[in-house]
Coordinates of all heavy atoms in Angstrom, one line a residue:
M1 N 99.4 146.6 108.3 CA 99.2 146.0 109.7 C 99.9 144.6 109.7 O 99.5 143.7 108.8 CB 97.8 145.9 110.1 CG 97.6 145.2 111.5 SD 96.5 145.9 112.7 CE 95.8 147.3 112.1
D2 N 100.8 144.4 110.6 CA 101.5 143.0 110.6 C 100.4 142.1 111.3 O 99.9 142.4 112.3 CB 102.7 143.1 111.5 CG 103.7 141.9 111.3 OD1 103.1 140.9 111.0 OD2 104.8 142.1 111.6
I3 N 100.4 140.9 110.7 CA 99.3 139.9 111.2 C 99.9 139.3 112.5 O 99.0 139.1 113.4 CB 99.3 138.8 110.1 CG1 98.6 139.3 108.8 CG2 98.4 137.6 110.7 CD1 97.3 139.8 109.0
M4 N 101.1 139.1 112.6 CA 101.7 138.4 113.8 C 102.3 139.4 114.9 O 103.4 139.3 115.3 CB 102.9 137.5 113.4 CG 102.4 136.4 112.4 SD 101.0 135.5 113.0 CE 101.9 134.1 113.7
M5 N 101.4 140.4 115.3 CA 101.9 141.3 116.3 C 101.7 140.6 117.7 O 100.8 139.8 117.9 CB 101.0 142.5 116.2 CG 101.2 143.4 115.0 SD 100.3 145.0 115.0 CE 98.7 144.5 115.4
P6 N 102.5 141.2 118.7 CA 102.3 140.6 120.0 C 101.0 141.1 120.7 O 100.6 142.2 120.2 CB 103.6 140.9 120.8 CG 104.1 142.2 120.0 CD 103.6 142.0 118.5
R7 N 100.5 140.5 121.7 CA 99.4 140.9 122.5 C 98.1 140.8 121.6 O 97.2 140.0 121.9 CB 99.5 142.2 123.0 CG 100.5 142.3 124.1 CD 100.4 143.6 124.9 NE 101.6 143.7 125.7 CZ 101.9 144.7 126.5 NH1 101.1 145.8 126.4 NH2 103.0 144.7 127.2
M8 N 98.0 141.6 120.6 CA 96.7 141.5 119.7 C 97.2 141.4 118.3 O 98.0 142.2 117.9 CB 96.0 142.8 119.9 CG 94.8 142.8 118.9 SD 93.9 144.4 119.0 CE 93.1 144.4 120.5
N9 N 96.8 140.3 117.7 CA 97.3 140.0 116.4 C 96.7 141.1 115.4 O 95.7 141.7 115.7 CB 97.0 138.7 115.9 CG 95.6 138.2 115.7 OD1 94.9 138.9 115.0 ND2 95.2 137.1 116.3
G10 N 97.1 141.0 114.2 CA 96.7 142.1 113.1 C 95.2 141.9 112.8 O 94.5 142.8 112.6
R11 N 94.8 140.7 112.7 CA 93.3 140.4 112.3 C 92.4 141.0 113.5 O 91.4 141.6 113.2 CB 93.1 138.9 112.1 CG 93.8 138.6 110.7 CD 93.4 137.3 110.3 NE 94.3 136.8 109.3 CZ 95.2 136.0 109.2 NH1 95.6 135.5 110.3 NH2 95.9 135.6 108.1
D12 N 92.8 140.7 114.7 CA 91.9 141.2 115.8 C 92.1 142.8 115.9 O 91.0 143.4 116.2 CB 92.4 140.6 117.1 CG 92.1 139.1 117.3 OD1 91.2 138.6 116.6 OD2 92.7 138.5 118.1
A13 N 93.1 143.3 115.6 CA 93.3 144.7 115.6 C 92.4 145.4 114.5 O 91.8 146.5 114.7 CB 94.8 145.2 115.4
A14 N 92.4 144.7 113.4 CA 91.5 145.2 112.3 C 90.1 145.2 112.6 O 89.3 146.1 112.3 CB 91.8 144.4 111.0
R15 N 89.7 144.1 113.3 CA 88.3 143.9 113.6 C 87.9 144.9 114.7 O 86.8 145.6 114.6 CB 88.0 142.5 114.3 CG 88.0 141.4 113.2 CD 87.6 140.1 114.0 NE 88.0 139.0 113.1 CZ 89.1 138.3 113.2 NH1 89.9 138.5 114.1 NH2 89.3 137.3 112.3
T16 N 88.8 145.3 115.6 CA 88.6 146.4 116.6 C 88.5 147.7 116.0 O 87.7 148.4 116.3 CB 89.8 146.2 117.7 OG1 89.8 145.0 118.3 CG2 89.6 147.3 118.7
I17 N 89.3 148.0 115.0 CA 89.2 149.3 114.3 C 88.0 149.3 113.5 O 87.3 150.4 113.7 CB 90.5 149.5 113.3 CG1 91.8 149.5 114.2 CG2 90.2 150.6 112.4 CD1 93.0 149.5 113.3
R18 N 87.6 148.4 112.9 CA 86.3 148.4 112.1 C 85.2 148.6 113.0 O 84.1 149.2 112.5 CB 86.2 147.2 111.2 CG 87.2 147.1 110.1 CD 87.1 148.1 109.1 NE 87.9 147.8 108.0 CZ 88.8 148.8 107.4 NH1 88.6 150.0 107.8 NH2 89.6 148.6 106.5
A19 N 85.2 148.0 114.2 CA 84.0 148.2 115.1 C 83.9 149.4 115.9 O 83.0 149.7 116.6 CB 84.1 146.8 116.1
M20 N 84.9 150.3 115.8 CA 85.0 151.5 116.6 C 83.9 152.5 116.2 O 83.4 152.5 115.0 CB 86.3 152.2 116.3 CG 87.5 151.5 117.0 SD 89.0 152.3 116.5 CE 89.4 153.2 118.0
N21 N 83.4 153.2 117.1 CA 82.3 154.2 116.9 C 82.9 155.5 116.5 O 83.0 156.4 117.2 CB 81.5 154.4 118.2 CG 80.3 155.2 118.0 OD1 79.8 155.4 116.8 ND2 79.7 155.8 119.0
R22 N 83.5 155.5 115.2 CA 84.1 156.6 114.6 C 83.7 156.7 113.2 O 83.5 155.7 112.4 CB 85.7 156.5 114.6 CG 86.3 156.6 116.0 CD 87.8 156.3 115.9 NE 88.4 157.1 114.8 CZ 89.5 157.8 115.0 NH1 90.2 157.9 116.1 NH2 90.0 158.6 114.0
P23 N 83.6 157.9 112.6 CA 83.1 158.0 111.3 C 84.1 157.4 110.2 O 83.7 157.0 109.1 CB 82.9 159.5 110.9 CG 83.6 160.1 112.1 CD 83.7 159.2 113.2
D24 N 85.4 157.3 110.6 CA 86.3 156.7 109.6 C 86.6 155.3 109.8 O 87.5 154.7 109.2 CB 87.6 157.6 109.7 CG 88.3 157.6 111.1 OD1 87.7 157.1 112.1 OD2 89.4 158.1 111.2
A25 N 86.0 154.7 110.7 CA 86.3 153.3 111.1 C 86.1 152.3 110.0 O 86.9 151.4 109.7 CB 85.5 152.8 112.2
E26 N 85.2 152.6 109.1 CA 84.9 151.7 108.1 C 85.7 152.1 106.8 O 85.8 151.3 105.8 CB 83.4 151.8 107.7 CG 82.6 151.0 108.6 CD 82.9 149.4 108.7 OE1 83.0 148.9 107.6 OE2 83.0 149.0 109.8
I27 N 86.2 153.3 106.7 CA 86.9 153.7 105.4 C 88.5 153.8 105.6 O 89.2 153.8 104.6 CB 86.5 155.1 104.9 CG1 86.7 156.2 105.9 CG2 85.0 154.9 104.6 CD1 86.5 157.6 105.4
I28 N 89.0 153.8 106.8 CA 90.5 153.9 106.9 C 91.1 152.6 106.3 O 90.7 151.4 106.5 CB 90.9 154.1 108.4 CG1 92.3 154.3 108.6 CG2 90.5 152.8 109.2 CD1 92.7 155.8 108.3
P29 N 92.0 152.7 105.4 CA 92.7 151.6 104.8 C 93.5 150.7 105.7 O 94.3 151.4 106.5 CB 93.6 152.3 103.7 CG 93.0 153.6 103.5 CD 92.5 154.1 104.8
I30 N 93.2 149.5 105.7 CA 94.0 148.6 106.6 C 94.6 147.5 105.6 O 93.9 146.9 104.8 CB 93.3 147.9 107.6 CG1 92.6 148.9 108.5 CG2 94.1 146.9 108.4 CD1 91.6 148.2 109.6
I31 N 96.0 147.5 105.5 CA 96.6 146.6 104.6 C 97.4 145.6 105.5 O 98.2 145.9 106.4 CB 97.7 147.3 103.8 CG1 96.9 148.4 102.9 CG2 98.5 146.4 102.9 CD1 97.8 149.3 102.1
A32 N 97.1 144.2 105.2 CA 97.7 143.2 105.9 C 99.2 143.0 105.4 O 99.4 143.0 104.2 CB 96.9 141.9 105.8
M33 N 100.1 142.7 106.3 CA 101.4 142.4 105.9 C 101.8 141.0 106.7 O 101.7 141.0 107.8 CB 102.4 143.5 106.3 CG 102.0 144.7 105.5 SD 103.4 146.0 106.0 CE 102.2 147.1 106.7
S34 N 102.1 140.0 105.9 CA 102.4 138.8 106.5 C 103.3 138.0 105.7 O 103.3 138.0 104.3 CB 101.1 138.0 106.6 OG 101.3 136.7 107.1
A35 N 104.1 137.1 106.2 CA 104.9 136.1 105.5 C 104.1 135.0 105.0 O 104.4 134.3 104.1 CB 106.0 135.5 106.3
N36 N 102.8 134.9 105.5 CA 101.9 133.8 105.0 C 101.1 134.4 103.9 O 100.2 135.4 104.2 CB 101.0 133.4 106.2 CG 101.9 132.8 107.4 OD1 102.8 132.1 107.0 ND2 101.4 133.0 108.6
A37 N 101.0 133.8 102.8 CA 100.3 134.3 101.7 C 99.5 133.3 100.9 O 99.3 133.4 99.7 CB 101.3 135.1 100.7
F38 N 99.1 132.3 101.7 CA 98.2 131.3 101.1 C 96.8 131.9 100.9 O 96.5 132.8 101.5 CB 98.1 130.0 101.9 CG 99.5 129.3 102.0 CD1 100.2 129.2 103.1 CD2 99.9 128.5 100.8 CE1 101.5 128.6 103.1 CE2 101.1 127.9 100.9 CZ 101.9 127.9 102.1
S39 N 96.0 131.2 100.1 CA 94.7 131.8 99.9 C 93.9 131.9 101.1 O 93.1 132.8 101.3 CB 93.9 131.0 98.8 OG 93.8 129.7 99.1
E40 N 94.0 131.0 102.0 CA 93.4 131.0 103.3 C 93.8 132.2 104.2 O 92.9 132.8 104.9 CB 93.6 129.7 104.2 CG 93.2 128.3 103.5 CD 94.3 127.9 102.6 OE1 95.5 128.1 102.8 OE2 94.0 127.3 101.5
D41 N 95.0 132.6 104.1 CA 95.5 133.7 104.9 C 94.9 135.0 104.3 O 94.6 135.9 105.1 CB 97.0 133.8 104.7 CG 97.8 132.5 105.3 OD1 97.4 132.1 106.5 OD2 98.5 131.8 104.5
I42 N 94.9 135.1 102.9 CA 94.3 136.2 102.4 C 92.9 136.4 102.7 O 92.4 137.4 103.0 CB 94.6 136.2 100.8 CG1 96.1 136.3 100.5 CG2 93.9 137.3 100.1 CD1 96.5 135.9 99.2
M43 N 92.2 135.4 102.6 CA 90.7 135.3 103.0 C 90.5 135.6 104.4 O 89.6 136.4 104.8 CB 90.1 134.0 102.7 CG 88.6 134.0 102.9 SD 87.6 135.1 101.9 CE 87.7 134.3 100.5
D44 N 91.3 135.1 105.4 CA 91.1 135.5 106.8 C 91.3 137.0 107.0 O 90.7 137.6 107.8 CB 92.2 134.7 107.6 CG 91.8 133.2 107.7 OD1 90.6 132.9 107.4 OD2 92.6 132.4 108.2
S45 N 92.4 137.5 106.2 CA 92.7 139.0 106.4 C 91.5 139.8 106.0 O 91.0 140.8 106.6 CB 93.9 139.4 105.6 OG 95.0 138.8 106.1
R46 N 90.9 139.4 104.7 CA 89.7 140.2 104.2 C 88.5 140.0 105.1 O 87.8 140.9 105.4 CB 89.4 139.6 102.8 CG 90.4 139.8 101.8 CD 90.7 141.3 101.5 NE 89.3 141.9 101.1 CZ 89.3 142.7 100.0 NH1 90.3 142.8 99.3 NH2 88.1 143.3 99.8
L47 N 88.3 138.8 105.7 CA 87.2 138.6 106.6 C 87.4 139.5 107.9 O 86.3 139.8 108.5 CB 86.9 137.1 106.9 CG 86.4 136.3 105.8 CD1 86.6 134.8 106.1 CD2 85.1 136.7 105.4
A48 N 88.6 139.6 108.3 CA 88.8 140.5 109.5 C 88.6 142.0 109.2 O 88.6 142.7 110.2 CB 90.2 140.2 110.0
G49 N 88.4 142.4 107.9 CA 88.2 143.8 107.6 C 89.4 144.4 107.0 O 89.3 145.8 106.7
M50 N 90.3 143.7 106.7 CA 91.5 144.3 105.9 C 91.2 144.4 104.4 O 90.5 143.6 103.9 CB 92.9 143.5 106.2 CG 93.2 143.4 107.6 SD 94.7 142.5 107.8 CE 94.9 142.7 109.7
D51 N 91.8 145.4 103.8 CA 91.4 145.7 102.5 C 92.4 145.0 101.5 O 91.9 144.5 100.4 CB 91.6 147.3 102.1 CG 90.7 148.0 103.0 OD1 89.5 148.0 102.7 OD2 91.1 148.7 103.9
I52 N 93.5 144.8 101.8 CA 94.5 144.2 100.9 C 95.4 143.3 101.8 O 95.8 143.6 103.0 CB 95.3 145.2 100.0 CG1 94.4 146.0 99.1 CG2 96.5 144.6 99.3 CD1 95.0 147.1 98.5
H53 N 96.0 142.2 101.2 CA 97.0 141.4 101.9 C 98.2 141.3 101.1 O 98.2 140.9 100.0 CB 96.3 140.0 102.1 CG 97.2 139.0 102.8 ND1 96.8 138.7 104.1 CD2 98.3 138.4 102.6 CE1 97.8 137.7 104.6 NE2 98.7 137.6 103.7
L54 N 99.3 141.8 101.7 CA 100.7 141.8 101.0 C 101.5 140.8 101.7 O 101.6 140.8 102.9 CB 101.2 143.2 101.1 CG 100.5 144.3 100.3 CD1 101.3 145.6 100.5 CD2 100.4 144.0 98.8
A55 N 102.3 140.2 100.8 CA 103.2 139.1 101.4 C 104.6 139.8 101.7 O 105.0 140.7 100.9 CB 103.4 138.1 100.3
K56 N 105.2 139.3 102.7 CA 106.7 139.8 103.0 C 107.5 138.9 102.3 O 107.2 137.7 102.0 CB 106.9 139.7 104.5 CG 106.1 140.6 105.3 CD 106.4 140.3 106.9 CE 105.6 141.2 107.7 NZ 106.0 141.0 109.1
P57 N 108.7 139.4 102.0 CA 109.3 140.7 102.2 C 108.4 141.7 101.2 O 108.0 141.4 100.1 CB 110.7 140.6 101.7 CG 110.8 139.6 100.8 CD 109.8 138.5 101.2
L58 N 108.2 142.9 101.8 CA 107.4 143.9 101.1 C 108.1 144.5 100.0 O 109.4 144.7 100.0 CB 107.0 145.1 102.1 CG 106.1 144.7 103.2 CD1 105.7 145.8 104.0 CD2 104.7 144.1 102.6
D59 N 107.4 144.7 98.8 CA 108.0 145.3 97.7 C 107.3 146.7 97.7 O 106.2 147.0 97.8 CB 107.4 144.5 96.5 CG 107.9 145.2 95.2 OD1 109.0 144.9 94.7 OD2 107.1 145.9 94.6
E60 N 108.3 147.8 97.6 CA 107.9 149.1 97.5 C 106.8 149.5 96.6 O 105.8 150.2 96.8 CB 109.1 150.0 97.4 CG 108.8 151.5 97.5 CD 110.0 152.5 97.1 OE1 111.1 151.8 97.2 OE2 109.8 153.6 97.0
A61 N 106.9 149.1 95.4 CA 106.0 149.3 94.3 C 104.6 148.7 94.6 O 103.5 149.3 94.4 CB 106.4 148.8 92.9
K62 N 104.6 147.5 95.1 CA 103.4 146.9 95.5 C 102.6 147.6 96.7 O 101.4 147.7 96.7 CB 103.6 145.3 95.9 CG 103.8 144.6 94.7 CD 104.0 143.1 95.1 CE 104.3 142.2 93.9 NZ 104.6 140.8 94.2
M63 N 103.5 148.1 97.6 CA 102.9 148.8 98.7 C 102.3 150.1 98.3 O 101.2 150.5 98.7 CB 104.0 149.0 99.8 CG 103.6 149.7 101.0 SD 102.4 148.7 101.9 CE 102.1 149.6 103.4
I64 N 102.9 150.8 97.5 CA 102.4 152.1 97.0 C 101.2 151.9 96.1 O 100.2 152.6 96.3 CB 103.5 152.9 96.1 CG1 104.6 153.5 97.0 CG2 102.8 154.0 95.3 CD1 105.8 153.9 96.4
N65 N 101.1 150.8 95.3 CA 99.9 150.5 94.4 C 98.8 150.1 95.4 O 97.6 150.4 95.1 CB 100.3 149.4 93.5 CG 101.1 149.9 92.3 OD1 101.0 151.0 92.0 ND2 101.8 148.9 91.7
A66 N 99.1 149.4 96.5 CA 98.1 149.0 97.4 C 97.5 150.2 98.1 O 96.3 150.3 98.3 CB 98.6 148.1 98.5
L67 N 98.3 151.2 98.5 CA 97.9 152.4 99.2 C 97.0 153.2 98.1 O 95.9 153.7 98.5 CB 99.0 153.3 99.6 CG 99.7 152.7 100.9 CD1 101.0 153.6 101.0 CD2 98.9 152.8 102.0
K68 N 97.4 153.3 96.9 CA 96.6 154.0 95.8 C 95.3 153.3 95.6 O 94.3 154.0 95.4 CB 97.5 154.2 94.7 CG 98.6 155.1 94.6 CD 99.3 155.2 93.4 CE 100.5 156.3 93.4 NZ 101.2 156.3 92.2
Q69 N 95.3 152.0 95.6 CA 94.1 151.3 95.4 C 93.1 151.6 96.5 O 91.9 151.8 96.4 CB 94.3 149.8 95.3 CG 93.1 148.9 95.1 CD 93.4 147.5 95.2 OE1 94.5 147.1 94.9 NE2 92.4 146.6 95.4
C70 N 93.6 151.5 97.8 CA 92.7 151.7 98.9 C 92.0 153.1 98.9 O 90.9 153.3 99.2 CB 93.4 151.6 100.3 SG 93.8 149.8 100.6
I71 N 93.0 154.0 98.7 CA 92.5 155.5 98.6 C 91.6 155.8 97.5 O 90.5 156.5 97.6 CB 93.7 156.4 98.7 CG1 94.4 156.2 100.0 CG2 93.2 157.8 98.4 CD1 95.8 156.8 100.1
A72 N 91.8 155.2 96.4 CA 90.8 155.3 95.2 C 89.5 154.8 95.4 O 88.6 155.3 94.9 CB 91.4 154.6 93.9
E73 N 89.4 153.8 96.2 CA 88.1 153.3 96.6 C 87.3 154.0 97.6 O 86.2 153.8 98.0 CB 88.2 151.8 97.1 CG 88.8 150.9 96.0 CD 89.2 149.5 96.6 OE1 89.1 149.2 97.7 OE2 89.5 148.7 95.6
R74 N 88.1 155.0 98.3 CA 87.5 155.9 99.4 C 87.6 157.2 99.2 O 88.8 157.8 99.4 CB 88.1 155.4 100.8 CG 87.7 153.9 101.1 CD 88.6 153.5 102.2 NE 88.2 152.2 102.7 CZ 88.6 151.0 102.2 NH1 89.4 151.0 101.1 NH2 88.1 149.8 102.7
S75 N 86.7 158.0 98.8 CA 86.9 159.5 98.4 C 87.2 160.2 99.6 O 87.7 161.3 99.4 CB 85.6 159.8 97.7 OG 84.5 159.8 98.5
A76 N 86.9 159.8 100.8 CA 87.1 160.6 102.0 C 88.5 160.6 102.5 O 89.0 161.3 103.3 CB 86.2 160.2 103.2
V77 N 89.3 159.7 101.9 CA 90.7 159.4 102.3 C 91.6 160.1 101.1 O 91.4 159.8 100.0 CB 91.2 158.0 102.5 CG1 92.6 157.9 102.9 CG2 90.2 157.4 103.6
K78 N 92.5 161.0 101.4 CA 93.2 161.7 100.4 C 94.7 161.2 100.4 O 95.2 160.9 101.4 CB 93.2 163.2 100.7 CG 91.9 163.9 100.7 CD 91.1 163.6 99.3 CE 89.8 164.3 99.4 NZ 88.9 163.8 98.4
L79 N 95.3 161.1 99.2 CA 96.6 160.7 99.1 C 97.6 161.9 98.6 O 97.1 162.7 97.8 CB 96.7 159.6 97.9 CG 98.1 159.1 97.4 CD1 98.6 158.3 98.7 CD2 98.0 158.3 96.3
R80 N 98.7 162.0 99.2 CA 99.7 163.0 98.9 C 100.0 162.9 97.5 O 100.2 161.7 97.0 CB 100.8 163.0 99.8 CG 100.7 163.4 101.2 CD 101.8 163.3 101.9 NE 103.1 163.4 101.3 CZ 104.3 162.8 101.8 NH1 104.3 162.3 102.9 NH2 105.3 162.9 101.0
N81 N 100.2 164.0 96.8 CA 100.5 163.9 95.2 C 101.9 163.3 94.9 O 102.1 162.9 93.8 CB 100.3 165.3 94.6 CG 99.0 165.7 94.6 OD1 98.0 164.9 94.5 ND2 98.7 167.0 94.6
D82 N 102.8 163.3 95.9 CA 104.1 162.9 95.6 C 104.3 161.4 95.8 O 105.5 160.9 95.5 CB 105.1 163.6 96.5 CG 105.0 163.4 98.0 OD1 103.9 163.0 98.4 OD2 105.9 163.7 98.7
L83 N 103.3 160.6 96.0 CA 103.3 159.1 96.0 C 103.1 158.5 94.8 O 102.3 159.0 94.0 CB 102.4 158.6 97.1 CG 102.8 158.9 98.7 CD1 101.8 158.2 99.5 CD2 104.1 158.3 98.9

């Protein structure tokens, strides 16, 4: 999720998703993507309910590892075998 989205920023969107009355609201992986990668930015993303904070420009290997990490922590979410 991009942090600097128009209308609703990524942190607000993550908070909204986590607050939804759905069984998957707490387990769906949310990965922050931002050009801002200071420790405060990472902490703000985590406090908003995001699982991981990745800095832009995105690195394909880091993105795949982040997805695998999120999914490994949540048994209800499945990963395709070809990733």
Side-chain angles (χ1 to χ4, degrees):
M1 171 143 355
D2 195 334
I3 297 295
M4 302 301 268
M5 297 187 304
R7 293 191 188 173
M8 179 184 286
N9 69 52
R11 290 187 186 103
D12 288 341
R15 285 185 200 95
T16 300
I17 291 168
R18 295 293 186 224
M20 294 174 102
N21 187 20
R22 293 175 46 132
D24 60 351
E26 287 296 317
I27 63 168
I28 191 76
I30 303 176
I31 300 170
M33 293 181 250
S34 177
N36 300 324
F38 293 108
S39 58
E40 302 86 32
D41 301 306
I42 296 167
M43 182 60 72
D44 287 346
S45 294
R46 296 298 302 234
L47 291 172
M50 296 183 179
D51 298 290
I52 296 173
H53 185 105
L54 295 178
K56 292 180 184 178
L58 293 177
D59 175 88
E60 181 181 351
K62 288 181 182 178
M63 184 64 177
I64 290 171
N65 286 335
L67 289 169
K68 287 180 178 181
Q69 178 183 339
C70 287
I71 292 166
E73 294 171 358
R74 293 167 172 84
S75 62
V77 180
K78 302 298 180 199
L79 179 67
R80 288 179 23 202
N81 290 331
D82 60 344
L83 288 181

